[in-house]
Amino acid sequence: MNTEKQFEDQINKCREIFLKKASDYGTAWRIMRPSSVTDQIFIKANRIRGLQINDTAMIDEGQEPEFIGIINYAIMGLIQLEKGFADTADFDTATAEQYYNKYARLAQELMMRKNHDYGEAWRGMRISSITDLILMKLYRIKQIEDHDGKTQISEGIDAGYYDIINYSVFNLIKLDEQKSK
């Protein structure tokens, strides 16, 4: 298994959806404050957890589109942290794609470093456990946001977003691997 290639395949799928939505909606997300982006990710992660716990779903969409949404929102969150929120959709699609590519690359580089040090431990984890880690990261981010981004010892909001991207990519890889069996 080539984690780097699998990561790239999943990010390419996410980017394609991001760009199609940018074509449909523009970059309306630019008006969102980072805390609103965090709440959007929180909604998606809670839905995934509900799908994992409950026997039935009332909406005919599985976990995969929600993980894709989490990745795309987390990248939007990183962009908002760098650029600040705007009063209008002030990016064209090409600019949004440049920022998307930057943060996807940085997330992948971080994943490769951590994956080396942790020995691909995520491969032995359950999708549900990784989902719980995403929710835990979101609660931490919300706490940091409630403290105006200030921490005494912890990593910042951006580190949480990067971890959420990587955890979500891991789960997409795991879901794909389950489909192939």
Side-chain angles (χ1 to χ4, degrees):
M1 290 176 258
N2 183 336
T3 301
E4 188 169 13
K5 168 90 170 75
Q6 289 176 302
F7 185 98
E8 289 168 3
D9 290 346
Q10 296 303 326
I11 286 294
N12 287 338
K13 186 179 0 176
C14 296
R15 181 185 298 105
E16 181 181 335
I17 291 169
F18 176 85
L19 293 174
K20 284 180 180 176
K21 288 192 176 199
S23 175
D24 288 348
Y25 306 134
T27 57
W29 54 268
R30 285 285 295 133
I31 69 159
M32 294 177 75
R33 291 169 282 190
S35 58
S36 297
V37 175
T38 301
D39 286 343
Q40 283 299 120
I41 298 168
F42 184 74
I43 290 167
K44 293 190 168 299
N46 267 329
R47 178 161 191 276
I48 292 166
R49 186 173 165 132
L51 290 172
Q52 292 169 350
I53 293 170
N54 300 318
D55 292 333
T56 58
M58 300 298 282
I59 299 171
D60 190 26
E61 291 179 354
Q63 296 177 61
E64 182 178 344
E66 299 296 353
F67 283 119
I68 290 169
I70 287 172
I71 291 164
N72 287 342
Y73 272 113
I75 290 176
M76 289 177 209
L78 289 165
I79 295 167
Q80 297 300 75
L81 288 175
E82 177 183 340
K83 300 303 292 177
F85 63 91
D87 292 329
T88 62
D90 62 344
F91 282 5
D92 60 17
T93 302
T95 302
E97 183 176 13
Q98 288 173 349
Y99 281 103
Y100 190 101
N101 292 340
K102 170 186 173 179
Y103 288 110
R105 178 182 45 77
L106 291 171
Q108 183 177 11
E109 290 170 0
L110 176 64
M111 180 277 300
M112 293 303 292
R113 290 191 308 272
K114 284 187 172 186
N115 208 34
H116 173 271
D117 289 356
Y118 286 92
E120 296 209 328
W122 64 273
R123 289 201 182 269
M125 294 177 68
R126 296 172 188 91
I127 291 172
S128 59
S129 296
I130 297 172
T131 301
D132 289 349
L133 288 174
I134 291 168
L135 281 164
M136 180 192 67
K137 289 285 181 180
L138 286 163
Y139 278 109
R140 288 178 177 181
I141 289 170
K142 289 165 76 75
Q143 192 72 20
I144 294 168
E145 288 170 344
D146 289 347
H147 293 128
D148 297 321
K150 295 176 181 70
T151 61
Q152 294 181 34
I153 193 169
S154 304
E155 296 176 311
I157 295 167
D158 59 337
Y161 281 151
Y162 281 118
D163 285 344
I164 287 167
I165 292 167
N166 289 332
Y167 294 157
S168 296
V169 170
F170 292 157
N171 274 352
L172 287 174
I173 292 169
K174 289 174 128 346
L175 288 169
D176 270 0
E177 289 174 349
Q178 284 179 355
K179 279 190 246 178
S180 335
K181 289 183 180 179

